[in-house]
Amino acid sequence: MKVIREIEHFPEIDNACSAFKTTYLENGVERAVKDYKFCRGKGANDLYFDEGGGVHLAAQWLGDVLVTPFKYDDLLLVSVLRLQGEVLEEEIYTIPDSDSHKGVAPLAAKNLQRLELRRRPAKP
């Protein structure tokens, strides 16, 4: 599967967003498009992904890693983005989480999706 990600510049002012679009191709055929926005609210630490339909996923810088944890139905997902030189690495951990109780609860990871994205050469 080929993945194309289009990312605009990081939003540097409050209440600004940039495009964050991911297209999945299989044998040259578009299989899925995720057309999100990466946004800055009030201040440099108020970051979130706008998935549309009023869904905002909070994102936090932990060192040089952008972490976005969220739940979807009975799944806990954690997206981790980091820039390693010219390669943007993304990992999404998927963990079933149907129980809610106090104290330590062991969870087993279900899936790990890993993407390594490289800049496309600029068009002349």
Side-chain angles (χ1 to χ4, degrees):
M1 178 163 296
K2 181 177 181 178
V3 178
I4 299 171
R5 176 154 296 154
E6 300 169 61
I7 304 172
E8 291 180 343
H9 292 284
F10 186 87
E12 296 180 3
I13 60 172
D14 287 357
N15 302 310
C17 295
S18 60
F20 198 92
K21 179 178 178 180
T22 306
T23 304
Y24 297 89
L25 302 166
E26 189 171 347
N27 297 322
V29 176
E30 188 177 283
R31 293 293 179 200
V33 175
K34 295 182 180 180
D35 197 1
Y36 304 143
K37 294 178 184 168
F38 181 59
C39 302
R40 174 178 164 162
K42 295 184 179 185
N45 294 321
D46 184 11
L47 303 171
Y48 62 92
F49 286 93
D50 181 344
E51 294 198 343
V55 177
H56 292 178
L57 303 178
Q60 300 84 30
W61 285 110
L62 300 177
D64 62 350
V65 177
L66 186 65
V67 179
T68 309
F70 61 99
K71 286 196 69 166
Y72 181 80
D73 293 337
D74 63 347
L75 296 175
L76 169 65
L77 295 102
V78 181
S79 170
V80 177
L81 277 169
R82 71 178 63 81
L83 187 61
Q84 299 285 349
E86 288 293 312
V87 177
L88 178 65
E89 297 176 343
E90 179 179 29
E91 294 177 338
I92 302 174
Y93 299 87
T94 304
I95 303 130
D97 182 25
S98 58
D99 297 328
S100 61
H101 62 278
K102 295 185 182 259
V104 176
L107 300 172
K110 177 180 177 181
N111 189 35
L112 168 62
Q113 176 183 347
R114 181 175 290 136
L115 299 172
E116 289 186 358
L117 302 156
R118 290 172 174 73
R119 289 183 196 261
R120 183 184 310 177
K123 295 179 182 179

